[in-house]
Each structure stands twice: as C-alpha cells, then as structure tokens.
Amino acid sequence: MVKRIRGVTFSTNVSPQIENRILYAARGLFNKFIPDVHIFTDHRAGLSGGLSAGYGVSVVAETTTGCLISADATVSYPNVDEMSEQSKKPELMSPEDLGEQVASMLLEEVAQGGVVDSTHQSLLFMLCALCPPDVSKVRVGQLTPHAIESLRNIKEFLDVKFIIKPDPNSNTVTLKCVGAGVKNLARKIS
C-alpha cells in the first residue's frame, strides 16, 4: 500500500508553464488512487540552465512498509549544432503525455510488488552480495533482463549464488544469498 507520492518536475531553458502541465497530468492520474501527492517544480533558465533545453519529471512512492519506488522520464531538445539543415525538427512528447506516462510507469512499478522498482534491482542484489557473510533475503517484482545479467556477473565475480524462489500468489520473486563479506580496507579503525 502506498501512503504518499512525492516528486519534482524540472525544466531548463523552456517555458516554466511546461512544468505545471506535467504536474497536472501526473496528479490527475495519482489523485484517483491516493490523496497525499506533492510534486514540486524546479525551473532553470539562462546560464544556470546550461546549454540544453528540455524538461522531465521524477516521482517516488513511499509504501506503508517504508519501501521507496520510483519512476522518471525526460524530454530534451536536440542541440542546434547537432541538427543538419536538411533534417526535420523531431516530434517531442508533450508535457501532458510525459506526466501521464511517468504516473503510469510508477503505478505499474507499485503493482509489480517488491521492495524496489525494476531499475534498482541490480543495485539491491549487489548490496546483498557484498554484505557480511549473513543471509540476505529480498522480495522483488518480475526480474528485468538487466537484473538477471547482474546476478550472472555477481556469481562470476564474487562467487555468490542467489536462491531464486517465485511466489505465484503475489507475482513476486524472493531471492536469498549469503554475502561475500567484502570489507572496506581503506576505512580507518579507531
């Protein structure tokens, strides 16, 4: 269960109104499910905005168990120097479509279950593999191809094997491993 959703829209060197259009589109979808939604805006222009023009949004859902699940997307305009005279101006996603897309992505991530979203599965597996030689147990949604490749690399480089057990009731996957016990040798002992 999600208890709150937080996020930020950001834009550089475009109209600040674009951020509000993203915000309203995303909130329109989120407010059907949860009332505690706050999405902030961050606009940059001129030198503080850099050389590229574009906009985007990043949203995070916090569950009742304290898990953080995120989704984000951006749209950037091509650099004038990169466009040739013969090429047409590319069609960019509208701010409303971007807001709806990211809101849908977050809702899909929440529906998958697990303690992290699909983009952070491999990071979670790496942390479990590097921890002290104790048993780590995590539940994630459907494994992504990147996460599967990370599990293969962890087995090859750290010789840590994960026991993978699918749960058909919740459509999640439980993974267990014994950490490699990697220590930080650069850390000073007091």
Side-chain angles (χ1 to χ4, degrees):
M1 299 294 289
V2 174
K3 66 179 178 180
R4 71 176 64 114
I5 295 175
R6 299 290 181 262
V8 62
T9 62
F10 47 90
S11 64
T12 58
N13 298 327
V14 294
S15 171
Q17 189 61 32
I18 286 178
E19 292 183 51
N20 292 328
R21 291 167 57 191
I22 297 170
L23 186 144
Y24 291 130
R27 280 189 61 108
L29 200 53
F30 288 143
N31 284 340
K32 294 176 184 175
F33 302 104
I34 183 170
D36 191 6
V37 178
H38 294 289
I39 301 175
F40 303 96
T41 60
D42 182 22
H43 178 73
R44 304 290 170 156
L47 293 176
S48 67
L51 301 176
S52 300
Y55 51 90
V57 60
S58 179
V59 288
V60 178
E62 183 180 348
T63 65
T64 54
T65 58
C67 298
L68 300 173
I69 299 172
S70 66
D72 54 18
T74 60
V75 173
S76 62
Y77 293 91
N79 194 339
V80 177
D81 298 335
E82 295 173 359
M83 291 182 61
S84 66
E85 293 176 11
Q86 298 156 346
S87 67
K88 293 191 311 182
K89 187 176 180 182
E91 276 297 313
L92 301 176
M93 184 181 299
S94 73
E96 290 81 6
D97 291 343
L98 181 70
E100 289 176 8
Q101 178 190 21
V102 170
S104 298
M105 287 169 47
L106 183 65
L107 293 175
E108 287 173 15
E109 291 287 349
V110 169
Q112 280 190 9
V115 296
V116 295
D117 53 87
S118 58
T119 57
H120 293 100
Q121 286 178 355
S122 58
L123 175 63
L124 178 65
F125 301 154
M126 182 60 72
L127 293 173
C128 289
L130 293 173
C131 75
D134 293 328
V135 176
S136 296
K137 181 178 175 181
V138 293
R139 180 182 303 267
V140 296
Q142 183 179 1
L143 291 174
T144 62
H146 180 69
I148 293 169
E149 189 62 34
S150 295
L151 289 170
R152 290 180 182 141
N153 289 335
I154 289 169
K155 183 182 181 318
E156 184 176 340
F157 293 114
L158 297 175
D159 198 31
V160 174
K161 298 174 188 167
F162 282 81
I163 298 169
I164 302 172
K165 189 175 181 183
D167 183 7
N169 296 334
S170 63
N171 290 331
T172 59
V173 180
T174 303
L175 293 96
K176 293 183 200 175
C177 77
V178 176
V182 177
K183 297 185 189 233
N184 184 358
L185 298 176
R187 184 176 163 202
K188 293 183 180 181
I189 299 174
S190 51

